[in-house]
Amino acid sequence: SIIYSYIEAGVVSYGSAKTGVIEAGKSVTTSKRELFRENKELQLSIESLENQLAEKEGILRERDLLIEASSTSPIIILYPLARDALHIYSTILFSKGTNDRIWEGQVVYVRGMQPVCRIVEVYESTSLCKLFSKGGEMTEGVLISNGSTTEPLSIDLIGEGGGSFSVVLPKSLTVYVGDKVYLRSNQHMKIGEVVSVIEDEQAIGSKVFIRGAYNPLTSSVFYTTTFYDY
């Protein structure tokens, strides 16, 4: 009948419209997923490029420092002798001495001009270097905060052994993880970076921990030069 035909046509039209809405919804959902995936891929690409750029800038800075150092005085490469397990966190015995222009007071560093120790005893073919991070050893440093416009802060680091340091600072000072610490006597040399800040309500200050590049178990090549005034 005519009425049945109208009803049938209406049902078909409604069904087609409903299917169209569902398909459109699926299309929107798919588009959002695609956009999310593409955005994630772009973020990963940006992070990768930023990391590559930072690495290349670091290599260029290191190259410039090495060129500057070697312009008037050659870099001396040092290798540790067999290490004494009892002193692994306090001293390093090197296989070069006065015959190789090693003298008392020289600072020895690892890749990236990061200071490790200072020569305290020198013989003809060997030299003894005391770690800046030796337990209880005090080293004068300079803290440069990434999140502050204040001037560099002079601090006295206390060695914690194995390339680690600590310092207690007033709570009024804001220190961030990642802040860099340099040797006060030569601010080309980065001692390490802040890795932890512990705040105790009962303590008078915040305890800041700094980690250097030296690892007593893996560091095997060291450098020094007479160029810098230590």
Side-chain angles (χ1 to χ4, degrees), residues 4-132:
Y4 179 79
S5 298
Y6 273 112
I7 293 173
E8 184 179 28
V11 170
V12 171
S13 298
Y14 171 75
S16 299
K18 183 178 180 181
T19 301
V21 170
I22 292 173
E23 292 299 323
K26 288 181 178 178
S27 177
V28 170
T29 302
T30 302
S31 297
K32 285 184 177 179
R33 287 176 180 172
E34 287 295 322
L35 286 172
F36 179 79
R37 182 183 59 78
E38 291 176 1
N39 185 51
K40 191 68 175 178
E41 289 178 352
L42 285 172
Q43 287 180 350
L44 292 173
S45 297
I46 291 171
E47 288 179 7
S48 177
L49 289 171
E50 287 177 344
N51 289 336
Q52 291 179 33
L53 179 61
E55 182 179 356
K56 289 180 179 179
E57 287 178 345
I59 292 172
L60 288 173
R61 283 196 299 270
E62 180 180 344
R63 185 203 63 179
D64 291 341
L65 288 172
L66 290 175
I67 289 173
E68 180 185 6
S70 61
S71 62
T72 58
S73 178
I75 294 171
I76 302 170
I77 301 176
L78 302 168
Y79 299 98
L81 293 172
R83 304 188 190 189
D84 182 349
L86 296 176
H87 302 97
I88 193 171
Y89 294 107
S90 58
T91 59
I92 306 175
L93 183 64
F94 289 117
S95 58
K96 290 187 178 180
T98 54
N99 292 339
D100 303 284
R101 289 174 297 174
I102 302 297
W103 43 269
E104 187 175 327
Q106 279 178 291
V107 169
V108 174
Y109 55 91
V110 292
R111 185 176 182 272
M113 296 289 290
Q114 299 182 86
V116 171
C117 58
R118 190 184 298 274
I119 300 291
V120 291
E121 295 181 22
V122 187
Y123 307 94
E124 287 187 359
S125 57
T126 60
S127 54
L128 187 67
C129 204
K130 183 168 66 174
L131 295 174
F132 290 119

Side-chain angles (χ1 to χ4, degrees), residues 12 24 39 61 76 82-83 100 156 164 171 190-191 195 200:
V12 171
N39 185 51
R61 283 196 299 270
I76 302 170
R83 304 188 190 189
D100 303 284
D156 292 333
S164 297
K171 291 183 178 180
K190 186 178 79 171
I191 293 176
V195 294
D200 186 344

Side-chain angles (χ1 to χ4, degrees), residues 123-214:
Y123 307 94
E124 287 187 359
S125 57
T126 60
S127 54
L128 187 67
C129 204
K130 183 168 66 174
L131 295 174
F132 290 119
S133 60
K134 176 184 176 182
E137 186 74 11
M138 194 274 286
T139 300
E140 295 180 339
V142 174
L143 173 69
I144 298 180
S145 178
N146 294 326
S148 174
T149 57
T150 59
E151 293 294 320
L153 176 68
S154 293
I155 57 177
D156 292 333
L157 300 169
I158 302 299
E160 295 285 346
S164 297
F165 306 84
S166 69
V167 61
V168 176
L169 297 176
K171 291 183 178 180
S172 58
L173 295 174
T174 303
V175 181
Y176 301 90
V177 170
D179 285 353
K180 297 175 176 55
V181 179
Y182 295 84
L183 200 63
R184 192 184 305 174
S185 61
N186 184 342
Q187 294 179 32
H188 288 291
M189 290 186 157
K190 186 178 79 171
I191 293 176
E193 295 185 1
V194 173
V195 294
S196 178
V197 180
I198 298 178
E199 296 183 358
D200 186 344
E201 292 183 358
Q202 298 180 347
I204 59 173
S206 301
K207 191 163 187 179
V208 180
F209 290 92
I210 296 96
R211 177 66 199 172
Y214 173 66

